[in-house]
Amino acid sequence: MNKNILTVCVAALLQLALTSPAMAIPDSNELSAIAGLTTTLDQKYAPGSIATGEVADIALKEATVAQQRLQNWYEQADKACHSKFFVNDCLDDTKQQRRQYIVVLQRISLEAKALQRKLRIEQLDRELLQRQAKP
């Protein structure tokens, strides 16, 4: 029960961060915040560290919120590039910056989803065995 409350609180805090006024202007401060968040999530959910369903749920929620925040920054930065003289250079730089963080967030999401699938299949197998054991 406490873990469910913690999950809801974490999701709410991350949602507040997602809708912050800093998202209105694509700047290096927002990108720095995203970089810090990505680094924190990468350390918190190092490869192979997601071992339970509860951790997988929380990791997936946090990674999804961070991905959405990164996507919002990317869209704002992409729009800002169109007002610059060297549009293509700006767009390339923006894509490169996004790419370096999205890889980490996608790894976390994929690992969490893989564990969720594995646990769901194990549960279905147990249920099937129970039904087959009944006369």
Side-chain angles (χ1 to χ4, degrees):
M1 184 170 153
N2 288 338
K3 291 181 181 180
N4 289 338
I5 293 171
L6 178 63
T7 302
V8 171
C9 289
V10 167
L13 287 173
L14 290 173
Q15 185 63 31
L16 282 174
L18 177 66
T19 58
S20 70
M23 293 302 297
I25 300 171
D27 62 353
S28 61
N29 291 334
E30 179 61 17
L31 186 59
S32 296
I34 292 169
L37 177 60
T38 302
T39 302
T40 301
L41 291 176
D42 190 31
Q43 292 170 352
K44 186 176 179 181
Y45 303 112
S49 68
I50 300 174
T52 67
E54 293 170 345
V55 172
D57 291 341
I58 293 170
L60 186 58
K61 287 176 187 175
E62 289 179 355
T64 301
V65 169
Q67 284 177 344
Q68 185 60 47
R69 188 172 175 182
L70 180 61
Q71 183 62 28
N72 288 343
W73 171 85
Y74 175 72
E75 290 171 2
Q76 293 294 320
D78 186 68
K79 289 177 186 175
C81 283
H82 292 285
S83 65
K84 296 185 178 184
F85 183 74
F86 293 108
V87 175
N88 289 336
D89 286 341
C90 180
L91 291 174
D92 289 343
D93 289 344
T94 302
K95 286 178 189 175
Q96 184 61 35
Q97 289 172 335
R98 178 181 176 267
R99 193 174 300 126
Q100 92 184 60
Y101 302 115
I102 198 72
V103 170
V104 173
L105 299 173
Q106 287 176 340
R107 180 202 47 85
I108 294 168
S109 294
L110 289 173
E111 188 175 336
K113 288 177 183 179
L115 180 66
Q116 288 176 333
R117 273 192 307 277
K118 178 184 171 200
L119 294 174
R120 190 170 33 249
I121 289 170
E122 288 173 356
Q123 177 64 31
L124 291 172
D125 286 345
R126 283 191 298 272
E127 291 173 4
L128 180 62
L129 286 173
Q130 287 175 353
R131 278 185 274 165
Q132 290 175 346
K134 291 183 182 179

